[in-house]
């Protein structure tokens, strides 16, 4: 039986874990949220790589024989560093996300040639250009838009009451209008941050208000499929009761509270770990 | 000549340094922004204390013989830990801020008995109750309001163009209305985070729109005065060319760029330091 390590800077990776639990329910999972050092999206490549490598090493030390980098920023800026440091198969979210966009483009009336992808992501992710490279390699044209206020809005839960939602809708309207200025015919919207799927209903409302329908995709499901393909390679293992272990580097109470919204199920007790710093 | 160490989780402490440079221009200054581990305001007491203590130790190692904790969150949650770890005089921003509120209350028509203070701060600061304790000790009644979205809005610079400012004004309106519900007769607004002075014009606009005038105070100037009183104790030292050294734990380019907005003057080259983690 595989032990799958899932890493994110915080809670967002739980949306990827949720898909993994459905697709590969009998694996053992170790999740790490590096909550003491988040957010990654506003930091430099060097610092992100240092944090991501130490986090990946921790998961390998916990017995992970397959690693999922369920954080777009860590994938975009540190995938090569992590691969060099940790000798287990590693799946990031950028390649699967790009492939999900390709699938959407093929299915669309515009086709791959006529499709245009807008990628919403953190500042660090957009600056890396990782999504543009991955999408261009698949023959898709794209525009990346940094949306640094979306993570704080999700973390503060400004998604529910009318008064708070109006602010989040206005921020989304500003970001989407700025992106559409660069790509007026865009038909695919790729959510390049694991926090953003929680905004999906509000993004749909915003696109409707802008009279600009787009297909919204995120990389969680596509990433889980990529992991399943790798995990199945080794064949079925012994049937034992699988377990799921959750670590965070800060405030396990907050992790417990916010985490279940991302995972959409209750979390077992979260363990605190000190990765230094 | 004193070497004054100034510590903040990021750039906000530069507003305190700005006041210090005016009041004690002939001191040597070493500034540290712990940008690799910011923000502190959303993290746990234990993690904040660990970060703040290692940062204070770094400044003491750089020769600081007086430390200014120019970060409300670090002061509110870790002042005792820092004092126990670093054997030099230490000035935080909470006590001076509370005294500035007292001065405002005495000067107001309501007097100290009739005055009521609203403190805007980070989640961690408000949860600590440090401002309430400091204000109550001076005979002032207060309400603390957590405003976690204000730091991201300031860091993104959503303070200038009309379209961005409208979002920041709406967020301020929501926070201030929620605070005024708890303290309808409040007449003093204490900015309990070093990022917030940059929002002062927008806060004034919001209060005007709400038809609720308040006296806005921040702790930067009062903190500088408290430091000056301590720094002068040792008498004038040798007259040498004073220098200012700036360290950051992440992305010195970003520090250089954002920092001058807080300091309101150009910064010398910022040095990168690795505090582990």
């Amino acid at each position: 039986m595989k032990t799958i390590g899932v890493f994110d800077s915080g809670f967002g990776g739980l949306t990827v874990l949720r898909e993994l639990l459905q697709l590969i329910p009998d694996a053992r999972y170790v999740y790490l949220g590096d909550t003491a050092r988040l957010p990654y999206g506003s930091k430099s490549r060097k610092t992100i790589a240092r944090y991501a490598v130490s986090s990946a090493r921790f998961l390998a030390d916990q017995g992970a024989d397959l690693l999922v980098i369920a954080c777009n920023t860590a994938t975009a800026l540190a995938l090569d560093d992590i691969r060099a440091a940790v000798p287990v198969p590693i799946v990031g979210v950028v390649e699967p996300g790009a492939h999900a966009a390709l699938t959407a483009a093929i299915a669309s009336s515009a086709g791959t040639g006529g499709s245009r992808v807008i990628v919403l992501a953190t500042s660090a992710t957009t600056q890396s250009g990782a999504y543009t490279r991955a999408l261009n390699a698949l023959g898709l044209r794209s525009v990346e838009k940094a949306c640094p206020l979306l993570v704080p809005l999700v973390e503060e839960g400004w998604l529910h009451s009318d008064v708070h939602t109006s602010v989040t809708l206005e921020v989304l309207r500003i970001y989407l209008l700025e992106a559409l200025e660069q790509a007026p015919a865009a038909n695919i919207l790729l959510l390049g941050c694991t926090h953003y799927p929680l905004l999906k209903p509000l993004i749909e409302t915003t696109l409707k208000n802008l009279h600009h329908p787009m297909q919204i995709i995120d990389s969680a499901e596509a990433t889980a499929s990529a992991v399943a393909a790798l995990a199945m390679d080794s064949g079925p293992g012994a049937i034992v009761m699988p377990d799921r272990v959750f670590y965070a580097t800060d405030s396990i109470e907050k992790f417990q509270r916010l985490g279940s919204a991302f995972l959409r199920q209750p979390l077992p007790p979260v363990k605190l770990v000190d990765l230094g710093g």
Side-chain angles (χ1 to χ4, degrees), chain A:
Chain A
M1 187 183 61
K2 284 275 178 196
T3 295
I4 301 176
V6 181
F7 163 63
D8 182 44
S9 61
F11 319 100
L14 293 168
T15 61
V16 177
L17 178 59
R18 191 177 67 212
E19 299 294 333
L20 285 168
L21 290 173
Q22 290 188 356
L23 220 56
I24 322 168
D26 58 345
R28 186 176 169 259
Y29 289 94
V30 189
Y31 184 96
L32 171 66
D34 189 13
T35 45
R37 303 188 288 197
L38 66 77
Y40 283 14
S42 56
K43 287 167 189 165
S44 68
R45 201 206 72 79
K46 205 177 152 187
T47 294
I48 291 163
R50 188 158 54 92
Y51 290 174
V53 165
S54 76
S55 300
R57 281 204 179 112
F58 170 79
L59 286 172
D61 291 346
Q62 303 310 306
D65 42 29
L66 197 163
L67 272 189
V68 184
I69 312 303
C71 169
N72 286 269
T73 304
T75 302
L77 288 103
L79 196 59
D80 290 344
D81 300 77
I82 299 168
R83 284 199 168 125
V86 184
V88 301
I90 292 168
V91 178
V93 287
V94 171
E95 292 282 338
H99 275 97
L102 179 64
T103 305
I106 291 169
S108 76
S109 58
T112 53
S115 282
R116 193 81 181 260
V117 183
I118 288 175
V119 182
L120 306 183
T122 66
S123 300
T125 298
T126 58
Q127 278 163 32
S128 78
Y131 267 107
T132 297
R133 284 192 299 278
L135 290 163
N136 289 357
L138 299 174
L140 288 171
R141 286 177 301 164
S142 63
V143 158
E144 297 192 54
K145 174 69 190 161
C147 307
L149 291 170
L150 296 186
V151 168
L153 286 164
V154 171
E155 300 232 328
E156 289 314 308
W158 282 37
L159 318 169
H160 309 298
S161 79
D162 282 353
V163 62
H164 292 153
T165 297
S166 71
V167 170
T168 306
L169 284 171
E170 176 62 11
V171 171
L172 283 169
R173 198 182 70 88
I174 290 170
Y175 284 145
L176 284 168
L177 275 178
E178 287 170 358
L180 286 167
E181 234 171 71
Q182 293 174 64
N187 59 330
I188 295 168
L189 188 66
L190 176 51
L191 307 184
C193 172
T194 46
H195 274 74
Y196 300 172
L198 275 73
L199 291 164
K200 203 176 169 188
L202 296 183
I203 292 172
E204 281 165 349
T205 303
T206 307
L207 289 172
K208 204 174 159 190
N209 292 341
L210 293 173
H211 306 289
H212 192 111
M214 297 179 79
Q215 193 171 346
I216 304 171
I217 53 175
D218 71 73
S219 48
E221 204 182 322
T223 301
S225 301
V227 174
L230 264 179
M232 299 315 172
D233 278 356
S234 56
I239 295 172
V240 297
M241 188 61 189
D243 61 341
R244 294 91 172 79
V245 189
F246 294 81
Y247 290 95
T249 54
D250 187 33
S251 183
I252 51 174
E253 293 76 18
K254 187 174 176 184
F255 194 98
Q256 204 92 33
R257 183 163 39 84
L258 279 179
S260 52
F262 284 89
L263 195 61
R264 286 195 212 150
Q265 55 181 272
L267 264 71
V270 177
K271 298 180 189 183
L272 188 66
V273 59
D274 180 358
L275 296 182

